[in-house]
Amino acid sequence: MPPVVIPQQPVQNSQPVAAGSDAGASGATKILELKSGIAWRRKWMPAKFRGARFHVETAVRESGRRIVNHEFPKRDVPYAEDMGRRAREFTVRGYIIVYPRDVAGPGNELKKKNYLDARDALIKALEEDGPADLQLPLLGWLKVACTRYRVTEENRSGGYCVFDMSFTEFGQAPATGNRRSSPAGVYYNVNQLNQATIDRISSGLKAAYGAGQGQAT
Amino acid sequence: MIPSPDVREGARIANLAADLLLATSNDQKGRTGSDLRRACGDMKAHAENYIVENVIAEKLSNCFELARTTGATLSEFDHLRERLVVEATGSLVGMLIKNGSICFSLQQMSMVIVDTNFTSREDVEEVRNEVNVAFDQAEEVAADEMALTSYRALVSLHAAVTFHLYETARPLPQMLRFQFASPRPTLILSHRLYDTAARADQLREENKIVHPAFAPREGRALGF
């Protein structure tokens, strides 16, 4: 009876392939060396609101179109009327946590043994009047207003607090869109009307006679 | 050159506007007054030529601008506008110049309003009612003429003026009526109303009091 030959199984390498290097020779690949999936990391930005930094656990962006549905009697086909873009809303769960040691320097506001300073700074920023810039790690930057926030401290998680924050897109007030301040608006529209009137008279005369044609024969 | 009847009618309207503009500043002296007189005189002398050469619009606009810089008031421009509105026209040229002059009047009225210092909300309200009537008529005419650009410009200017008047009126005091038991000097009235006698002159001017020692029992005063 011939011996049973078991074909050699290919080696299952559970380690991902490193970018441009021999993974096997250098040992385990670090996650930052992954070729796939590194692009989003390059776009990562520290989260902050009104300059107050925080860590982000989840960040949700919501928007869409403001659709009004019209349904008509005796008709099968409805009409979804588009009334414009819905205001963008952000729901963010952030946290601030103690750091084992104080790290000095700009951009290291969260790397402190005393996390209360960063927490209070964020609370102050959230309660301050007016719109502010919200920067989220991967959802970009927008001028928003904070509609509500909740900060949670738990006894069993000392040195750690959670912020649940809601923001809405600030946009721009209608009065500051195309409307100028009141005297400037009047001056601007006076010039517009002046030009329109001159054009109206000139084009009317031109259409009626053409230049130099308004003479009786 | 023998102008056609249409041109003659247009020139008649332009001459009427020039006459009314001259009437607004007959007491004006100096360079601005002479510029206005020269521009209006030029218009009256050469209106028919300007219509034929199609430069009447710029010339008329300049006359209105000069009238304002010489000191024509809101009511004078409004009177001019009302006078032109009732002027009958039967030709296209006449109608164009008449409606154009009305638009020029409205522009100058708007500029005068911007330069006016109001003292009470009632003053602003009065001007707003006056201006609304003027703009409504012009907008109606522009809509009937299907002059889209002019209509939009008129509506925009109307909105800008209304907004300006609203912004102006907001911080101003309201005008209130007062009534005392007997005639008193304006100094006493001022002291009783404002806790200071320093505003006696203001009361005298507002109520057109002949003699400040004998102010009438009833009158009007600013709310604060």
Side-chain angles (χ1 to χ4, degrees), chain B residues 89-133:
Chain B
T89 52
S91 67
L92 175 65
V93 179
M95 198 175 64
L96 282 172
I97 293 177
K98 173 184 151 181
N99 293 338
S101 299
I102 290 170
C103 285
F104 292 139
S105 304
L106 290 172
Q107 293 164 34
Q108 301 310 324
M109 286 168 71
S110 307
M111 298 287 273
V112 171
I113 286 170
V114 169
D115 293 337
T116 305
N117 287 322
F118 294 95
T119 52
S120 73
R121 286 188 201 180
E122 278 70 15
D123 293 348
V124 179
E125 186 72 24
E126 195 176 318
V127 167
R128 191 165 60 190
N129 293 337
E130 190 178 332
V131 165
N132 280 343
V133 171

Side-chain angles (χ1 to χ4, degrees), chain A residues 13 15-30 33-35:
Chain A
N13 188 1
Q15 294 293 337
V17 178
S21 64
D22 186 358
S26 62
T29 304
K30 293 178 181 172
E33 293 171 357
L34 286 173
K35 184 180 256 180

Side-chain angles (χ1 to χ4, degrees), chain B residues 113-188:
Chain B
I113 286 170
V114 169
D115 293 337
T116 305
N117 287 322
F118 294 95
T119 52
S120 73
R121 286 188 201 180
E122 278 70 15
D123 293 348
V124 179
E125 186 72 24
E126 195 176 318
V127 167
R128 191 165 60 190
N129 293 337
E130 190 178 332
V131 165
N132 280 343
V133 171
F135 270 101
D136 286 345
Q137 288 177 351
E139 285 161 12
E140 191 84 15
V141 170
D144 288 345
E145 279 186 345
M146 307 289 281
L148 184 62
T149 315
S150 297
Y151 177 74
R152 286 181 59 185
L154 273 169
V155 170
S156 297
L157 180 58
H158 189 181
V161 170
T162 306
F163 179 65
H164 171 73
L165 288 172
Y166 163 74
E167 288 282 297
T168 306
R170 207 169 41 165
L172 289 177
Q174 281 185 316
M175 195 62 79
L176 303 175
R177 299 202 68 81
F178 64 82
Q179 184 175 14
F180 288 96
S182 61
R184 296 162 196 265
T186 51
L187 284 170
I188 293 178

Side-chain angles (χ1 to χ4, degrees), chain A residues 134-214:
Chain A
L134 171 69
Q135 181 176 293
L136 291 172
L138 291 165
L139 289 177
W141 171 97
L142 195 70
K143 191 175 281 294
V144 298
C146 176
T147 54
R148 195 175 181 83
Y149 79 90
R150 183 193 301 127
V151 57
T152 309
E153 295 265 14
E154 287 188 51
N155 278 345
R156 63 180 178 180
S157 307
Y160 172 74
C161 65
V162 178
F163 281 84
D164 292 298
M165 299 168 278
S166 298
F167 303 97
T168 188
E169 179 183 6
F170 183 71
Q172 59 185 13
T176 57
N178 292 323
R179 187 180 291 177
R180 293 155 179 82
S181 63
S182 60
V186 174
Y187 292 138
Y188 174 79
N189 286 296
V190 161
N191 288 333
Q192 296 289 104
L193 178 58
N194 190 45
Q195 196 55 51
T197 308
I198 289 174
D199 290 347
R200 170 80 182 135
I201 296 175
S202 298
S203 61
L205 290 177
K206 197 172 180 181
Y209 304 114
Q213 299 297 312

Side-chain angles (χ1 to χ4, degrees), chain A residues 94-113:
Chain A
Y95 63 93
I96 294 174
I97 193 167
V98 294
Y99 206 67
R101 62 185 185 280
D102 283 344
V103 180
N108 292 321
E109 294 85 357
L110 294 176
K111 296 177 181 175
K112 304 288 180 194
K113 284 194 282 189

